[in-house]
Amino acid sequence: MAKKSLVVLTVATLLGLASLVAATPGTATYYTVYTPSACYGYQDEGTMIAAASESIWNNGAACGQMYTITCTGATNQGVPQPCTGQSVTVKIVDYCPPPGCQATFDLSEQAFAIIANTAAGKIDIDYNLYKRNIEQNSNLQLHPRRGGLRITRVKNNGGVFPPSIQERNKH
């Protein structure tokens, strides 16, 4: 039993480390008029929101998904060090269509201000699908077998996060 637990713990640790390096680079801008939105019409979804570019939008499947976004640097010389050192989690409520969309995410002004100086206008970012989305949309099954562990049916809608590991009673 101890060997099985060690193997499961090792797999969880490796998947957890993968999540630390799985951030995707992109860019962010901000906008100030939040309704109507492509996902929710005139319904108020708060201010920790964003519009998704074509690469994220996926024909509207991005609606309601949440992303954690961190500023990594400036995209212009106007504000050479715009980042605050914080991250923000935003909900996708709108579509930022080409050719007008100039970033991966068009954040609300309030969300942008958490991670960067708004005077920058556009910043480089790293982003990840928020962990709650993964937990709700995942199906990770670990099966102990002789000589190792088999992992089956992993569905996570784009992102790598450590699984919750629970030992089931066989009663």
Side-chain angles (χ1 to χ4, degrees), residues 8 45 55 63 89 93 99 145:
V8 170
E45 292 297 315
S55 64
C63 286
T89 299
V93 300
R145 352 186 293 193

Side-chain angles (χ1 to χ4, degrees), residues 80-124:
Q81 296 179 356
C83 303
T84 65
Q86 296 183 48
S87 295
V88 66
T89 299
V90 295
K91 180 178 179 180
I92 300 300
V93 300
D94 211 349
Y95 177 47
C96 185
C101 192
Q102 300 298 308
T104 312
F105 294 94
D106 201 12
L107 304 174
S108 68
E109 184 176 16
Q110 293 87 340
F112 191 98
I114 289 173
I115 62 171
N117 181 338
T118 56
K122 183 176 183 180
I123 55 171
D124 288 324

